[in-house]
Amino acid sequence: MSPSTQRRSRLVSGQAFLNHWRFTRWLLWMLCLGLFPASSTQVAAQNIGKKYAVLVGVDKYDPSQLNRLNYTVADAEELAKQFKQLGFDVTLMTLAVENPQLHPNTPAKIEKVLNNRAQGLTENDTLIFGFMGHGVQFAIDKGMGEESETQELYFCPAEAQLDDRDTLLSLEKVYALLQESKAGRKLLIVDACRNNPQPKNKTRSKEVELEPVGKKIRTVPTGMVAFFSCSAGEKSHEYPALVDGRGHGAFTAQMLKYLRGDAAEVWYPKGELALPEMLNYVSRETKDYVWNKDKQDQIPVPYGKVGSWTLGRVEDVLRQNITNSIGMQLRAIPAGKFVMSSPPTELGHDGFRQLNEKQVNVEITKAFYLGAHEVTQGEWIKVMGTKPWKGKKFVEEGANYPATYISWTDANAFCKKLGVKEGKTYRLPTEAEWEYACRAGSKTAFYFGADVRKLKDYAWYMENTWDQGWQAPQVVGQKKPNAWGLYDMHGNVWEWCGDWYDDKLAGGKDPVGAARGEFRVNRGGGWDSFPLTCRSSMRVRDKPDYVDNILGFRVVLIPPRK
């Protein structure tokens, strides 16, 4: 065993182990008496109102009336996922859902569902109605041969007959239902054509014999915003390559991009998903995308007084997981507050340099993504094209083993190169981010609790590797993850953090450690570590150019925001 390995493995004194049963007995006694305080997360619900969304996607029509659409159901389904991430109670209406009462084949069915959702709301509540499908507009006849400058817009349910307006869903009817609702915030989203063009596969309209199309639309009722995918007389395009190749309408694809936190940074003031910013972003990006593709106009138009409207926070939608271009899985870590490091009563706290773990209050103000696993050899090779571990001791080679013999400098080079490859920002986690993500809301020595005997289910460490003759890091992701889906935060390999090492931990908002130093921080314990050196709060240090068989890293991906 190398001197460095011995140093890390022997960080906890024997006296700490002798304290184990004393601590466990005290813990059980406290539990029996019920003396532990309630979790700080158990706070009274705030009166922020409820949020509802009804999303309709129609793709199949009577072929004698309207051409089939390719991606309207995908539009509705993906928007449903995003609004659920934002805390909306979502009702999805497509021909693919199991409940026939939610099949959007008639206007009566759609009206019934919308009316059900709209009733009983208060001024604190939010209601969204979205329609993705064919739309037609009729010029309104004033009489005496005169035509109004306004238009009458209809949505087309699956059984729509263009010569029978009773089979169409009138915008006026939708307006009336929304206006009757007492919800304080109401949004109508329409991804449908507003013209009578020649039929094309990638537009949401069909040629029909209708009256001439005007240029204006009826005034939106007070207290409501309507957002249309195109201006009057324009087509609403859809494309197969949009959004990971699944295919979407150009308008909905840009909305999804904004709602997923993937838009340019300027569109997320204060980390919020603000409706005014979304309207501006989607209008601009849709117009540019369609023009660059087909040299045709599709200019989304919002109507109504928008005001200050927040749909949610970026951190809310980042609770979904992603897989990047090299197959690396990343978990969304929400913003939040926690107490960093360990209390003096924690088993192992007094085992090595007690002042090293003095507690501080920390606030992580911005959501971020963190690698679900330590960076693997396969991922390293895809980005860097090298094998630093090749021929070294205490290493198993394979795509899913952690990349080791990686210095802090090397790890940063990997992050930079991966970021250039994807046009995104990757970096090492700060020490505060690392511990916050490791704990995942826990306050105990390990993210699963205080019982060190359970560590074997969650980590590779001395007792189930070195002592078993497996003298190397193990394949990632074999043990149980924490509450945020992160694997091997305890054990396997120590992980580089971005900070310079300082005995005194930095607290406050988004701390980054010392301004300068000689050593960089690494965290989490390794495959040859004693159990208590794998605790959430355990800290060690190494020079930035140091490499070892027990030292690797995982990455942070920064979502775009202002």
Side-chain angles (χ1 to χ4, degrees):
M1 188 183 298
S2 67
S4 175
T5 301
Q6 292 176 344
R7 172 176 62 81
R8 294 172 187 275
S9 297
R10 306 307 191 261
L11 289 178
V12 179
S13 69
Q15 181 61 43
F17 280 95
L18 293 177
N19 290 336
H20 173 66
W21 293 113
R22 185 190 316 165
F23 174 79
T24 303
R25 186 171 54 192
W26 173 83
L27 178 65
L28 292 172
W29 178 249
M30 292 291 281
L31 287 170
C32 291
L33 293 178
L35 296 181
F36 283 113
S39 169
S40 61
T41 60
Q42 298 173 351
V43 296
Q46 298 179 1
N47 184 25
I48 57 175
K50 291 190 173 184
K51 299 189 286 189
Y52 299 90
V54 177
L55 300 172
V56 180
V58 187
D59 57 348
K60 298 176 183 177
Y61 293 90
D62 180 344
S64 68
Q65 297 291 311
L66 294 160
N67 59 292
R68 179 170 179 168
L69 296 171
N70 296 311
Y71 309 119
T72 44
V73 170
D75 285 348
E77 289 175 345
E78 291 302 313
L79 279 176
K81 290 179 184 178
Q82 292 309 119
F83 283 124
K84 284 179 181 178
Q85 290 284 337
L86 290 167
F88 279 79
D89 181 341
V90 178
T91 301
L92 178 64
M93 299 187 72
T94 73
L95 297 176
V97 299
E98 293 183 3
N99 187 348
Q101 296 303 314
L102 298 179
H103 290 177
N105 25 30
T106 67
K109 278 190 177 181
I110 300 173
E111 290 171 15
K112 182 178 180 180
V113 172
L114 180 56
N115 184 62
N116 176 275
R117 298 282 79 186
Q119 299 304 311
L121 304 186
T122 71
E123 63 179 10
N124 293 320
D125 299 327
T126 301
L127 176 62
I128 293 177
F129 175 67
F131 181 88
M132 295 85 203
H134 277 299
V136 293
Q137 287 193 280
F138 302 83
I140 300 174
D141 191 350
K142 286 181 169 182
M144 302 299 291
E146 296 184 19
E147 292 174 349
S148 170
E149 291 184 351
T150 60
Q151 302 170 41
E152 196 168 20
L153 175 62
Y154 287 84
F155 307 129
C156 300
E159 297 178 4
Q161 299 293 309
L162 297 176
D163 58 355
D164 183 358
R165 298 193 189 186
D166 289 338
T167 67
L168 307 177
L169 177 60
S170 166
L171 173 65
E172 292 298 310
K173 181 66 174 181
V174 172
Y175 276 176
L177 289 172
L178 292 174
Q179 192 168 25
E180 289 173 6
S181 175
K182 294 183 180 179
R185 293 171 294 276
K186 290 170 279 193
L187 172 64
L188 171 65
I189 299 170
V190 180
D191 194 347
C193 289
R194 295 173 58 191
N195 72 334
N196 317 329
Q198 295 292 328
K200 286 188 178 181
N201 291 331
K202 59 183 181 181
T203 62
R204 297 183 174 182
S205 61
K206 177 179 174 68
E207 184 180 20
V208 291
E209 294 182 2
L210 303 175
E211 297 90 335
V213 175
K215 295 183 179 181
K216 295 183 180 179
I217 196 164
R218 289 186 182 279
T219 303
V220 174
T222 303
M224 182 181 133
V225 175
F227 194 24
F228 293 87
S229 61
C230 57
S231 300
E234 294 177 354
K235 309 170 186 177
S236 188
H237 294 70
E238 55 181 17
Y239 297 94
L242 284 169
V243 190
D244 302 325
R246 183 179 180 185
H248 281 285
F251 170 79
T252 297
Q254 301 306 326
M255 190 177 300
L256 286 169
K257 188 175 180 181
Y258 181 88
L259 293 174
R260 289 173 176 174
D262 290 334
E265 293 184 8
V266 69
W267 304 103
Y268 297 109
K270 301 180 181 178
E272 294 179 344
L273 295 164
L275 182 62
E277 301 293 348
M278 185 184 80
L279 300 179
N280 290 335
Y281 175 82
V282 175
S283 296
R284 184 194 71 183
E285 294 299 315
T286 302
K287 175 179 69 70
D288 290 349
Y289 188 90
V290 174
W291 180 259
N292 291 334
K293 282 286 186 179
D294 289 324
K295 297 297 183 288
Q296 294 190 33
D297 288 331
Q298 183 183 336
I299 304 174
V301 182
Y303 296 91
K305 187 176 181 180
V306 179
S308 178
W309 226 34
T310 300
L311 294 168
R313 296 190 59 79
V314 174
E315 65 193 52
D316 296 328
V317 297
L318 289 182
R319 288 174 185 155
Q320 58 185 326
N321 304 321
I322 64 173
T323 301
N324 70 7
S325 64
I326 62 170
M328 180 186 290
Q329 297 178 37
L330 297 113
R331 301 289 187 251
I333 310 300
K337 299 178 181 180
F338 79 114
V339 179
M340 187 175 178
S341 201
S342 64
T345 54
E346 182 174 293
L347 187 63
H349 174 91
D350 59 350
F352 176 70
R353 298 182 66 182
Q354 184 173 347
L355 294 177
N356 196 31
E357 293 189 28
K358 187 175 181 180
Q359 290 185 305
V360 292
N361 293 314
V362 170
E363 180 178 359
I364 304 298
T365 65
K366 301 173 183 178
F368 60 95
Y369 288 107
L370 183 65
H373 311 104
E374 295 142 342
V375 173
T376 65
Q377 294 176 14
E379 292 163 349
W380 178 273
I381 292 170
K382 288 179 181 178
V383 175
M384 306 299 287
T386 61
K387 296 181 179 181
W389 55 85
K390 185 73 174 178
K392 301 293 198 303
K393 293 182 179 180
F394 305 114
V395 171
E396 294 285 346
E397 289 197 47
N400 294 321
Y401 285 93
T404 54
Y405 289 94
I406 307 297
S407 70
W408 183 92
T409 304
D410 295 334
N412 275 277
F414 174 93
C415 293
K416 183 176 181 180
K417 194 167 183 179
L418 178 58
V420 171
K421 174 182 173 65
E422 295 192 343
K424 297 179 180 179
T425 302
Y426 286 89
R427 60 169 172 77
L428 294 175
T430 66
E431 187 176 11
E433 288 171 340
W434 190 97
E435 184 174 328
Y436 174 69
C438 176
R439 290 187 176 281
S442 66
K443 299 180 180 179
T444 49
F446 306 97
Y447 61 67
F448 56 82
D451 189 350
V452 72
R453 293 169 297 182
K454 295 181 179 179
L455 184 61
K456 65 182 184 298
D457 297 327
Y458 296 86
W460 295 108
Y461 62 109
M462 180 179 64
E463 292 178 6
N464 61 6
T465 52
W466 184 274
D467 291 353
Q468 302 300 317
W470 297 347
Q471 298 175 355
Q474 302 299 303
V475 169
V476 301
Q478 296 184 83
K479 296 298 185 178
K480 294 181 180 179
N482 71 3
W484 289 344
L486 302 170
Y487 294 84
D488 302 311
M489 296 295 282
H490 300 312
N492 212 21
V493 294
W494 292 84
E495 300 175 16
W496 286 113
C497 294
D499 310 47
W500 288 109
Y501 178 86
D502 193 329
D503 278 350
K504 184 178 180 181
L505 282 167
K509 293 184 178 181
D510 304 312
V512 294
R516 61 183 63 86
E518 182 180 1
F519 302 97
R520 295 288 185 176
V521 176
N522 38 68
R523 288 292 208 118
W527 57 271
D528 69 340
S529 295
F530 279 123
L532 294 181
T533 58
C534 297
R535 292 175 301 117
S536 300
S537 59
M538 191 68 205
R539 310 171 67 219
V540 294
R541 64 188 186 182
D542 275 308
K543 290 188 175 181
D545 59 353
Y546 180 75
V547 299
D548 204 334
N549 56 71
I550 55 173
L551 186 54
F553 70 107
R554 71 180 73 213
V555 301
V556 162
L557 167 62
I558 301 300
R561 62 170 69 85
K562 187 173 181 179

